[in-house]
mmCIF file of all heavy atoms in Angstrom:
data_model
loop_
_atom_site.group_PDB
_atom_site.id
_atom_site.type_symbol
_atom_site.label_atom_id
_atom_site.label_comp_id
_atom_site.label_asym_id
_atom_site.label_seq_id
_atom_site.Cartn_x
_atom_site.Cartn_y
_atom_site.Cartn_z
ATOM 1 N N LEU A 1 -10.770 -20.125 -2.973
ATOM 2 C CA LEU A 1 -10.904 -20.470 -1.554
ATOM 3 C C LEU A 1 -9.701 -21.272 -1.071
ATOM 4 O O LEU A 1 -9.115 -20.977 -0.022
ATOM 5 C CB LEU A 1 -12.199 -21.260 -1.344
ATOM 6 C CG LEU A 1 -12.492 -21.805 0.053
ATOM 7 C CD1 LEU A 1 -12.450 -20.700 1.086
ATOM 8 C CD2 LEU A 1 -13.840 -22.506 0.072
ATOM 9 N N ARG A 2 -9.307 -22.269 -1.847
ATOM 10 C CA ARG A 2 -8.138 -23.071 -1.462
ATOM 11 C C ARG A 2 -6.884 -22.194 -1.420
ATOM 12 O O ARG A 2 -6.058 -22.293 -0.505
ATOM 13 C CB ARG A 2 -7.956 -24.219 -2.444
ATOM 14 C CG ARG A 2 -6.702 -25.047 -2.191
ATOM 15 C CD ARG A 2 -6.683 -26.296 -3.055
ATOM 16 N NE ARG A 2 -5.384 -26.931 -3.026
ATOM 17 C CZ ARG A 2 -4.534 -26.983 -4.053
ATOM 18 N NH1 ARG A 2 -4.878 -26.454 -5.220
ATOM 19 N NH2 ARG A 2 -3.365 -27.582 -3.941
ATOM 20 N N GLY A 3 -6.737 -21.319 -2.403
ATOM 21 C CA GLY A 3 -5.585 -20.429 -2.425
ATOM 22 C C GLY A 3 -5.535 -19.517 -1.218
ATOM 23 O O GLY A 3 -4.454 -19.227 -0.683
ATOM 24 N N ALA A 4 -6.713 -19.075 -0.747
ATOM 25 C CA ALA A 4 -6.757 -18.203 0.429
ATOM 26 C C ALA A 4 -6.262 -18.936 1.671
ATOM 27 O O ALA A 4 -5.598 -18.348 2.528
ATOM 28 C CB ALA A 4 -8.179 -17.691 0.643
ATOM 29 N N LEU A 5 -6.561 -20.225 1.771
ATOM 30 C CA LEU A 5 -6.073 -21.002 2.911
ATOM 31 C C LEU A 5 -4.565 -21.192 2.830
ATOM 32 O O LEU A 5 -3.841 -20.982 3.805
ATOM 33 C CB LEU A 5 -6.771 -22.360 2.960
ATOM 34 C CG LEU A 5 -6.303 -23.295 4.079
ATOM 35 C CD1 LEU A 5 -6.674 -22.736 5.446
ATOM 36 C CD2 LEU A 5 -6.874 -24.692 3.898
ATOM 37 N N LEU A 6 -4.074 -21.579 1.655
ATOM 38 C CA LEU A 6 -2.645 -21.863 1.511
ATOM 39 C C LEU A 6 -1.795 -20.616 1.678
ATOM 40 O O LEU A 6 -0.644 -20.701 2.094
ATOM 41 C CB LEU A 6 -2.395 -22.516 0.145
ATOM 42 C CG LEU A 6 -3.074 -23.882 -0.057
ATOM 43 C CD1 LEU A 6 -2.783 -24.411 -1.453
ATOM 44 C CD2 LEU A 6 -2.613 -24.882 1.007
ATOM 45 N N SER A 7 -2.362 -19.444 1.352
ATOM 46 C CA SER A 7 -1.614 -18.191 1.519
ATOM 47 C C SER A 7 -1.869 -17.540 2.874
ATOM 48 O O SER A 7 -1.460 -16.402 3.103
ATOM 49 C CB SER A 7 -1.985 -17.210 0.397
ATOM 50 O OG SER A 7 -3.364 -16.887 0.444
ATOM 51 N N GLU A 8 -2.561 -18.252 3.756
ATOM 52 C CA GLU A 8 -2.812 -17.831 5.135
ATOM 53 C C GLU A 8 -3.660 -16.571 5.231
ATOM 54 O O GLU A 8 -3.603 -15.832 6.221
ATOM 55 C CB GLU A 8 -1.497 -17.650 5.893
ATOM 56 C CG GLU A 8 -0.678 -18.936 5.970
ATOM 57 C CD GLU A 8 0.590 -18.783 6.783
ATOM 58 O OE1 GLU A 8 0.928 -17.637 7.151
ATOM 59 O OE2 GLU A 8 1.234 -19.804 7.057
ATOM 60 N N GLN A 9 -4.499 -16.323 4.211
ATOM 61 C CA GLN A 9 -5.488 -15.245 4.328
ATOM 62 C C GLN A 9 -6.634 -15.669 5.245
ATOM 63 O O GLN A 9 -7.307 -14.825 5.837
ATOM 64 C CB GLN A 9 -6.043 -14.887 2.955
ATOM 65 C CG GLN A 9 -5.006 -14.371 1.972
ATOM 66 C CD GLN A 9 -5.607 -14.178 0.592
ATOM 67 O OE1 GLN A 9 -6.633 -13.511 0.431
ATOM 68 N NE2 GLN A 9 -4.985 -14.775 -0.409
ATOM 69 N N ILE A 10 -6.867 -16.974 5.308
ATOM 70 C CA ILE A 10 -7.888 -17.533 6.183
ATOM 71 C C ILE A 10 -7.290 -18.718 6.931
ATOM 72 O O ILE A 10 -6.233 -19.236 6.556
ATOM 73 C CB ILE A 10 -9.146 -17.983 5.399
ATOM 74 C CG1 ILE A 10 -8.777 -19.020 4.327
ATOM 75 C CG2 ILE A 10 -9.870 -16.792 4.789
ATOM 76 C CD1 ILE A 10 -9.968 -19.574 3.581
ATOM 77 N N ASP A 11 -7.977 -19.151 7.993
ATOM 78 C CA ASP A 11 -7.479 -20.240 8.837
ATOM 79 C C ASP A 11 -8.134 -21.576 8.518
ATOM 80 O O ASP A 11 -7.550 -22.627 8.785
ATOM 81 C CB ASP A 11 -7.736 -19.917 10.307
ATOM 82 C CG ASP A 11 -7.021 -18.655 10.749
ATOM 83 O OD1 ASP A 11 -5.784 -18.684 10.821
ATOM 84 O OD2 ASP A 11 -7.699 -17.648 11.006
ATOM 85 N N ILE A 12 -9.372 -21.552 8.022
ATOM 86 C CA ILE A 12 -10.164 -22.774 7.859
ATOM 87 C C ILE A 12 -10.928 -22.714 6.546
ATOM 88 O O ILE A 12 -11.440 -21.646 6.171
ATOM 89 C CB ILE A 12 -11.179 -22.915 9.027
ATOM 90 C CG1 ILE A 12 -10.460 -22.982 10.376
ATOM 91 C CG2 ILE A 12 -12.086 -24.128 8.846
ATOM 92 C CD1 ILE A 12 -11.381 -22.759 11.567
ATOM 93 N N VAL A 13 -11.025 -23.854 5.847
ATOM 94 C CA VAL A 13 -11.981 -23.975 4.740
ATOM 95 C C VAL A 13 -13.037 -24.980 5.141
ATOM 96 O O VAL A 13 -12.785 -25.934 5.869
ATOM 97 C CB VAL A 13 -11.318 -24.398 3.410
ATOM 98 C CG1 VAL A 13 -10.354 -23.341 2.937
ATOM 99 C CG2 VAL A 13 -10.641 -25.748 3.519
ATOM 100 N N TRP A 14 -14.224 -24.792 4.604
ATOM 101 C CA TRP A 14 -15.403 -25.485 5.098
ATOM 102 C C TRP A 14 -16.278 -25.834 3.911
ATOM 103 O O TRP A 14 -15.789 -26.348 2.912
ATOM 104 C CB TRP A 14 -16.053 -24.547 6.140
ATOM 105 C CG TRP A 14 -17.287 -24.974 6.842
ATOM 106 C CD1 TRP A 14 -18.348 -24.167 7.159
ATOM 107 C CD2 TRP A 14 -17.610 -26.257 7.365
ATOM 108 N NE1 TRP A 14 -19.295 -24.876 7.841
ATOM 109 C CE2 TRP A 14 -18.872 -26.173 7.981
ATOM 110 C CE3 TRP A 14 -16.962 -27.483 7.358
ATOM 111 C CZ2 TRP A 14 -19.491 -27.261 8.584
ATOM 112 C CZ3 TRP A 14 -17.586 -28.566 7.957
ATOM 113 C CH2 TRP A 14 -18.827 -28.442 8.568
ATOM 114 N N HIS A 15 -17.550 -25.530 3.912
ATOM 115 C CA HIS A 15 -18.465 -25.977 2.856
ATOM 116 C C HIS A 15 -17.971 -25.599 1.465
ATOM 117 O O HIS A 15 -17.428 -24.528 1.249
ATOM 118 C CB HIS A 15 -19.855 -25.372 3.064
ATOM 119 C CG HIS A 15 -20.640 -26.050 4.137
ATOM 120 N ND1 HIS A 15 -20.841 -27.408 4.158
ATOM 121 C CD2 HIS A 15 -21.258 -25.563 5.234
ATOM 122 C CE1 HIS A 15 -21.564 -27.718 5.216
ATOM 123 N NE2 HIS A 15 -21.821 -26.620 5.887
ATOM 124 N N GLY A 16 -18.229 -26.484 0.508
ATOM 125 C CA GLY A 16 -17.948 -26.187 -0.885
ATOM 126 C C GLY A 16 -16.629 -26.721 -1.392
ATOM 127 O O GLY A 16 -16.403 -26.757 -2.590
ATOM 128 N N ILE A 17 -15.755 -27.144 -0.477
ATOM 129 C CA ILE A 17 -14.450 -27.590 -0.935
ATOM 130 C C ILE A 17 -13.919 -28.778 -0.145
ATOM 131 O O ILE A 17 -13.140 -29.576 -0.665
ATOM 132 C CB ILE A 17 -13.430 -26.425 -0.846
ATOM 133 C CG1 ILE A 17 -12.111 -26.795 -1.529
ATOM 134 C CG2 ILE A 17 -13.204 -26.005 0.585
ATOM 135 C CD1 ILE A 17 -11.137 -25.640 -1.611
ATOM 136 N N ALA A 18 -14.351 -28.952 1.091
ATOM 137 C CA ALA A 18 -13.628 -29.843 1.993
ATOM 138 C C ALA A 18 -13.911 -31.321 1.791
ATOM 139 O O ALA A 18 -13.180 -32.157 2.292
ATOM 140 C CB ALA A 18 -13.924 -29.460 3.444
ATOM 141 N N ASN A 19 -14.967 -31.694 1.072
ATOM 142 C CA ASN A 19 -15.196 -33.108 0.824
ATOM 143 C C ASN A 19 -14.333 -33.589 -0.340
ATOM 144 O O ASN A 19 -14.050 -32.847 -1.279
ATOM 145 C CB ASN A 19 -16.672 -33.368 0.556
ATOM 146 C CG ASN A 19 -17.495 -33.201 1.828
ATOM 147 O OD1 ASN A 19 -17.176 -33.780 2.851
ATOM 148 N ND2 ASN A 19 -18.527 -32.390 1.760
ATOM 149 N N ALA A 20 -13.940 -34.834 -0.278
ATOM 150 C CA ALA A 20 -12.924 -35.344 -1.198
ATOM 151 C C ALA A 20 -13.465 -35.703 -2.576
ATOM 152 O O ALA A 20 -12.738 -36.251 -3.389
ATOM 153 C CB ALA A 20 -12.258 -36.565 -0.582
ATOM 154 N N ASN A 21 -14.752 -35.390 -2.862
ATOM 155 C CA ASN A 21 -15.289 -35.761 -4.165
ATOM 156 C C ASN A 21 -15.224 -34.621 -5.168
ATOM 157 O O ASN A 21 -15.968 -34.570 -6.122
ATOM 158 C CB ASN A 21 -16.733 -36.281 -4.038
ATOM 159 C CG ASN A 21 -17.658 -35.263 -3.393
ATOM 160 O OD1 ASN A 21 -17.238 -34.152 -3.105
ATOM 161 N ND2 ASN A 21 -18.901 -35.646 -3.170
ATOM 162 N N ASN A 22 -14.325 -33.655 -4.950
ATOM 163 C CA ASN A 22 -14.028 -32.662 -5.984
ATOM 164 C C ASN A 22 -12.523 -32.428 -6.003
ATOM 165 O O ASN A 22 -11.807 -32.785 -5.071
ATOM 166 C CB ASN A 22 -14.807 -31.352 -5.777
ATOM 167 C CG ASN A 22 -14.483 -30.678 -4.453
ATOM 168 O OD1 ASN A 22 -13.326 -30.396 -4.156
ATOM 169 N ND2 ASN A 22 -15.513 -30.412 -3.648
ATOM 170 N N GLU A 23 -12.048 -31.849 -7.092
ATOM 171 C CA GLU A 23 -10.605 -31.727 -7.314
ATOM 172 C C GLU A 23 -9.925 -30.936 -6.207
ATOM 173 O O GLU A 23 -8.871 -31.338 -5.693
ATOM 174 C CB GLU A 23 -10.355 -31.062 -8.672
ATOM 175 C CG GLU A 23 -8.889 -30.900 -9.017
ATOM 176 C CD GLU A 23 -8.673 -30.249 -10.386
ATOM 177 O OE1 GLU A 23 -9.662 -30.057 -11.118
ATOM 178 O OE2 GLU A 23 -7.509 -29.935 -10.707
ATOM 179 N N GLU A 24 -10.507 -29.802 -5.825
ATOM 180 C CA GLU A 24 -9.879 -28.977 -4.806
ATOM 181 C C GLU A 24 -9.889 -29.692 -3.447
ATOM 182 O O GLU A 24 -8.932 -29.619 -2.671
ATOM 183 C CB GLU A 24 -10.595 -27.627 -4.702
ATOM 184 C CG GLU A 24 -10.536 -26.792 -5.969
ATOM 185 C CD GLU A 24 -9.126 -26.373 -6.342
ATOM 186 O OE1 GLU A 24 -8.251 -26.376 -5.456
ATOM 187 O OE2 GLU A 24 -8.892 -26.044 -7.507
ATOM 188 N N GLY A 25 -10.984 -30.428 -3.172
ATOM 189 C CA GLY A 25 -11.056 -31.170 -1.919
ATOM 190 C C GLY A 25 -9.996 -32.251 -1.842
ATOM 191 O O GLY A 25 -9.383 -32.469 -0.787
ATOM 192 N N ARG A 26 -9.769 -32.951 -2.948
ATOM 193 C CA ARG A 26 -8.735 -33.990 -2.959
ATOM 194 C C ARG A 26 -7.352 -33.384 -2.778
ATOM 195 O O ARG A 26 -6.478 -33.976 -2.134
ATOM 196 C CB ARG A 26 -8.820 -34.804 -4.251
ATOM 197 C CG ARG A 26 -10.013 -35.753 -4.282
ATOM 198 C CD ARG A 26 -9.897 -36.747 -5.409
ATOM 199 N NE ARG A 26 -10.026 -36.120 -6.721
ATOM 200 C CZ ARG A 26 -11.192 -35.894 -7.321
ATOM 201 N NH1 ARG A 26 -12.328 -36.238 -6.732
ATOM 202 N NH2 ARG A 26 -11.239 -35.342 -8.513
ATOM 203 N N ALA A 27 -7.148 -32.197 -3.345
ATOM 204 C CA ALA A 27 -5.858 -31.526 -3.164
ATOM 205 C C ALA A 27 -5.641 -31.159 -1.697
ATOM 206 O O ALA A 27 -4.532 -31.285 -1.168
ATOM 207 C CB ALA A 27 -5.794 -30.282 -4.048
ATOM 208 N N LEU A 28 -6.696 -30.728 -1.018
ATOM 209 C CA LEU A 28 -6.586 -30.420 0.403
ATOM 210 C C LEU A 28 -6.253 -31.676 1.204
ATOM 211 O O LEU A 28 -5.406 -31.664 2.091
ATOM 212 C CB LEU A 28 -7.893 -29.818 0.912
ATOM 213 C CG LEU A 28 -8.223 -28.391 0.470
ATOM 214 C CD1 LEU A 28 -9.617 -28.015 0.945
ATOM 215 C CD2 LEU A 28 -7.208 -27.395 0.997
ATOM 216 N N ALA A 29 -6.947 -32.778 0.870
ATOM 217 C CA ALA A 29 -6.727 -34.027 1.605
ATOM 218 C C ALA A 29 -5.297 -34.529 1.451
ATOM 219 O O ALA A 29 -4.758 -35.172 2.352
ATOM 220 C CB ALA A 29 -7.719 -35.080 1.129
ATOM 221 N N ALA A 30 -4.685 -34.238 0.313
ATOM 222 C CA ALA A 30 -3.334 -34.726 0.048
ATOM 223 C C ALA A 30 -2.246 -33.801 0.591
ATOM 224 O O ALA A 30 -1.070 -34.142 0.552
ATOM 225 C CB ALA A 30 -3.145 -34.906 -1.461
ATOM 226 N N ASP A 31 -2.629 -32.632 1.101
ATOM 227 C CA ASP A 31 -1.662 -31.634 1.558
ATOM 228 C C ASP A 31 -1.345 -31.871 3.037
ATOM 229 O O ASP A 31 -2.161 -31.578 3.912
ATOM 230 C CB ASP A 31 -2.240 -30.230 1.359
ATOM 231 C CG ASP A 31 -1.198 -29.140 1.554
ATOM 232 O OD1 ASP A 31 -0.253 -29.348 2.346
ATOM 233 O OD2 ASP A 31 -1.324 -28.069 0.929
ATOM 234 N N ASP A 32 -0.152 -32.403 3.322
ATOM 235 C CA ASP A 32 0.163 -32.757 4.701
ATOM 236 C C ASP A 32 0.558 -31.560 5.557
ATOM 237 O O ASP A 32 0.888 -31.708 6.739
ATOM 238 C CB ASP A 32 1.258 -33.826 4.752
ATOM 239 C CG ASP A 32 2.548 -33.400 4.070
ATOM 240 O OD1 ASP A 32 2.675 -32.205 3.734
ATOM 241 O OD2 ASP A 32 3.429 -34.258 3.872
ATOM 242 N N THR A 33 0.521 -30.339 4.993
ATOM 243 C CA THR A 33 0.756 -29.150 5.806
ATOM 244 C C THR A 33 -0.525 -28.681 6.489
ATOM 245 O O THR A 33 -0.486 -27.801 7.352
ATOM 246 C CB THR A 33 1.315 -27.993 4.961
ATOM 247 O OG1 THR A 33 0.310 -27.542 4.042
ATOM 248 C CG2 THR A 33 2.552 -28.432 4.202
ATOM 249 N N LEU A 34 -1.670 -29.254 6.077
ATOM 250 C CA LEU A 34 -2.966 -28.837 6.612
ATOM 251 C C LEU A 34 -3.475 -29.856 7.630
ATOM 252 O O LEU A 34 -3.113 -31.029 7.595
ATOM 253 C CB LEU A 34 -3.985 -28.687 5.485
ATOM 254 C CG LEU A 34 -3.624 -27.694 4.383
ATOM 255 C CD1 LEU A 34 -4.678 -27.711 3.292
ATOM 256 C CD2 LEU A 34 -3.471 -26.280 4.956
ATOM 257 N N LYS A 35 -4.330 -29.384 8.537
ATOM 258 C CA LYS A 35 -4.940 -30.266 9.531
ATOM 259 C C LYS A 35 -6.358 -30.613 9.094
ATOM 260 O O LYS A 35 -7.160 -29.711 8.824
ATOM 261 C CB LYS A 35 -4.973 -29.580 10.902
ATOM 262 C CG LYS A 35 -3.605 -29.336 11.503
ATOM 263 C CD LYS A 35 -3.699 -28.583 12.814
ATOM 264 C CE LYS A 35 -4.260 -29.418 13.934
ATOM 265 N NZ LYS A 35 -4.119 -28.751 15.260
ATOM 266 N N PRO A 36 -6.679 -31.910 8.994
ATOM 267 C CA PRO A 36 -8.044 -32.302 8.664
ATOM 268 C C PRO A 36 -8.908 -32.398 9.925
ATOM 269 O O PRO A 36 -8.429 -32.781 10.998
ATOM 270 C CB PRO A 36 -7.861 -33.686 8.032
ATOM 271 C CG PRO A 36 -6.651 -34.237 8.717
ATOM 272 C CD PRO A 36 -5.765 -33.065 9.063
ATOM 273 N N TRP A 37 -10.184 -32.062 9.780
ATOM 274 C CA TRP A 37 -11.148 -32.176 10.878
ATOM 275 C C TRP A 37 -12.403 -32.827 10.307
ATOM 276 O O TRP A 37 -12.825 -32.524 9.195
ATOM 277 C CB TRP A 37 -11.503 -30.806 11.448
ATOM 278 C CG TRP A 37 -10.325 -30.005 11.906
ATOM 279 C CD1 TRP A 37 -9.526 -29.204 11.132
ATOM 280 C CD2 TRP A 37 -9.807 -29.909 13.229
ATOM 281 N NE1 TRP A 37 -8.541 -28.620 11.894
ATOM 282 C CE2 TRP A 37 -8.695 -29.032 13.194
ATOM 283 C CE3 TRP A 37 -10.181 -30.465 14.449
ATOM 284 C CZ2 TRP A 37 -7.960 -28.709 14.320
ATOM 285 C CZ3 TRP A 37 -9.457 -30.144 15.582
ATOM 286 C CH2 TRP A 37 -8.354 -29.271 15.514
#
């Protein structure tokens, strides 16, 4: 799912990854190319 966002296959990631209490979520939070909501 994270890879699909970074490769622009999708525009938004949502349930299952976006909270910061998992590894992929923390990676998203640290990526300053992405917009947090």
Side-chain angles (χ1 to χ4, degrees):
L1 176 55
R2 175 171 168 249
L5 178 66
L6 297 179
S7 62
E8 299 183 351
Q9 298 174 53
I10 58 176
D11 299 291
I12 300 165
V13 296
W14 180 219
H15 283 307
I17 189 173
N19 289 309
N21 58 4
N22 61 56
E23 181 179 353
E24 298 296 339
R26 287 193 292 274
L28 288 174
D31 191 330
D32 58 11
T33 68
L34 302 176
K35 294 177 71 170
W37 304 85

